[in-house]
Amino acid sequence: AGAKKWLEWRKEIELLSDVAYFVLTTLSGYQTLGEEYVNIVQVDSTKKRVPSFLRRALFIALHTVVPYCLEKGLLHLEHELQREADESRTLQSNSALGLSSRTLMRNWIQKQVGELTEQQKKTVLQIVYVLKQCVPLLHRLHLAVFYISGTFYHLSKRIAGITYLHFGGLQEDDQSIRSSYKFLGIISLFHLLLTIGVQMYSFKQKQRARQEWKLHRNLAHQKNTTKEKTTRRHSRCTLCLEERRHTTATPCGHLFCWECITEWCNTRTECPLCREKFHPQKLIYLRHYQL
């Protein structure tokens, strides 16, 4: 029970500990342990005054509370958008969300999602996917810029306008170290651009394959409907309750649409009718099946 509770509330405990640490150090006007160890102090953009109380409070909120709310908000939003498509997945994702279903954030998101149309839900789900992919890339970009410029290690400090002033030590040593970090920043930036290019190429390939599959499915469906006018009535798929398209057989002998049974196998590796367990690789596509 203790380990389960820890995993369920781990994010919240980490958030409270981070907020308490920065309140006792940064917000109170003291150095953190790392700042004290390397002899640096926080200053504002003029580098002549320490940051104001509001500026330090803004940094703490951006550094701790905002990332937590953004992560939880995207998880709850994605969960609500996919809840109607798969009810079994809902039960599994409740533990991953870390909070019970009776939270204000989730209730508000659930209310807003309920007012959306199906097309709007698909659009919002795509936006959530893009945001989840872009946030790590944004952090990597900011880290590369830090290596090159040598200021604002955290994105929250850049927004709040809090930088550091180093006292003690030799300036020549700092310059030699900074030149090596610039080279590391250039490599990091090149690697980030390469990653973005690969992800965009992969996304375009998936979109192209999806469009080709839809076109092939529609053409095949149109041909089947013209043939069905002169032939006897075909059997229906028990999953979509429509005429079977691209008939596929399970190892137990039941017939379904190829798209229907493959989507079913994404969440359940069993026959929808007799509940016999099987691997998705065992599905048999019946080409030119006419019954």
Side-chain angles (χ1 to χ4, degrees):
K4 183 179 180 181
K5 287 297 182 181
W6 162 253
L7 292 176
E8 183 179 357
W9 296 94
R10 180 175 60 87
K11 292 292 185 179
E12 288 71 29
I13 295 174
E14 292 178 354
L15 173 64
L16 293 177
S17 61
D18 290 340
V19 171
Y21 177 75
F22 284 110
V23 166
L24 294 175
T25 55
T26 301
L27 192 63
S28 301
Y30 297 103
Q31 292 174 286
T32 63
L33 294 178
E35 295 169 355
E36 185 178 357
Y37 181 77
V38 296
N39 296 327
I40 56 178
V41 293
Q42 294 183 4
V43 293
D44 58 9
S45 57
T46 62
K47 294 186 177 182
K48 296 180 181 179
R49 298 187 302 269
V50 296
S52 63
F53 181 84
L54 293 179
R55 191 183 294 268
R56 285 176 285 166
L58 176 62
F59 157 69
I60 294 174
L62 293 174
H63 189 67
T64 58
V65 180
V66 173
Y68 169 81
C69 294
L70 180 61
E71 180 183 3
K72 288 295 181 181
L74 291 178
L75 281 175
H76 285 306
L77 183 58
E78 184 179 17
H79 166 76
E80 290 298 330
L81 292 172
Q82 296 178 348
R83 179 173 57 87
E84 297 179 357
D86 191 356
E87 295 180 357
S88 64
R89 190 173 178 179
T90 302
L91 298 176
Q92 296 177 358
S93 58
N94 282 337
S95 59
L97 290 174
L99 288 175
S100 63
S101 59
R102 298 180 180 179
T103 58
L104 295 176
M105 180 186 297
R106 183 168 180 178
N107 290 335
W108 182 82
I109 292 176
Q110 186 175 6
K111 180 181 178 181
Q112 298 299 322
V113 171
E115 298 176 356
L116 300 178
T117 62
E118 292 298 328
Q119 185 62 31
Q120 290 175 340
K121 289 181 180 179
K122 293 181 180 179
T123 303
V124 174
L125 188 60
Q126 293 177 355
I127 294 175
V128 171
Y129 174 78
V130 172
L131 287 177
K132 293 178 68 175
Q133 298 294 324
C134 290
V135 169
L137 296 178
L138 178 61
H139 283 287
R140 292 176 57 182
L141 175 61
H142 184 266
L143 184 61
V145 173
F146 165 75
Y147 286 146
I148 296 175
S149 62
T151 56
F152 302 114
Y153 177 73
H154 297 291
L155 185 60
S156 53
K157 282 191 174 68
R158 182 179 296 274
I159 298 175
I162 297 178
T163 185
Y164 284 110
L165 182 65
H166 179 264
F167 59 93
L170 298 177
Q171 190 70 17
E172 297 180 357
D173 296 339
D174 293 341
Q175 293 296 333
S176 61
I177 295 175
R178 182 172 297 181
S179 61
S180 61
Y181 273 105
K182 285 184 179 180
F183 179 71
L184 179 60
I186 295 175
I187 295 178
S188 300
L189 189 61
F190 178 77
H191 183 262
L192 175 62
L193 295 176
L194 183 62
T195 303
I196 295 175
V198 172
Q199 290 186 357
M200 292 181 62
Y201 176 78
S202 177
F203 178 76
K204 290 182 179 180
Q205 288 295 105
K206 290 181 180 180
Q207 290 291 105
R208 181 180 178 182
R210 186 177 302 174
Q211 293 177 358
E212 291 179 353
W213 164 250
K214 289 182 178 180
L215 179 62
H216 173 73
R217 183 187 61 182
N218 293 333
L219 291 176
H221 181 60
Q222 292 177 0
K223 293 180 180 179
N224 290 336
T225 52
T226 56
K227 292 180 181 179
E228 288 171 2
K229 293 180 180 180
T230 57
T231 58
R232 61 194 183 117
R233 182 176 177 274
H234 287 194
S235 300
R236 291 181 179 273
C237 173
T238 56
L239 291 177
C240 64
L241 301 180
E242 297 180 357
E243 300 297 330
R244 283 198 305 267
R245 300 186 300 271
H246 310 290
T247 304
T248 304
T250 59
C252 55
H254 294 106
L255 303 180
F256 307 93
C257 299
W258 168 261
E259 186 175 7
C260 296
I261 190 62
T262 52
E263 289 183 357
W264 173 275
C265 291
N266 288 335
T267 55
R268 304 175 184 89
T269 57
E270 61 182 14
C271 177
L273 295 179
C274 65
R275 304 300 179 183
E276 180 180 341
K277 300 291 183 179
F278 66 93
H279 293 287
Q281 295 85 350
K282 298 295 184 179
L283 292 174
I284 302 175
Y285 177 75
L286 303 180
R287 191 178 297 274
H288 305 301
Y289 185 77
Q290 298 296 331
L291 294 179

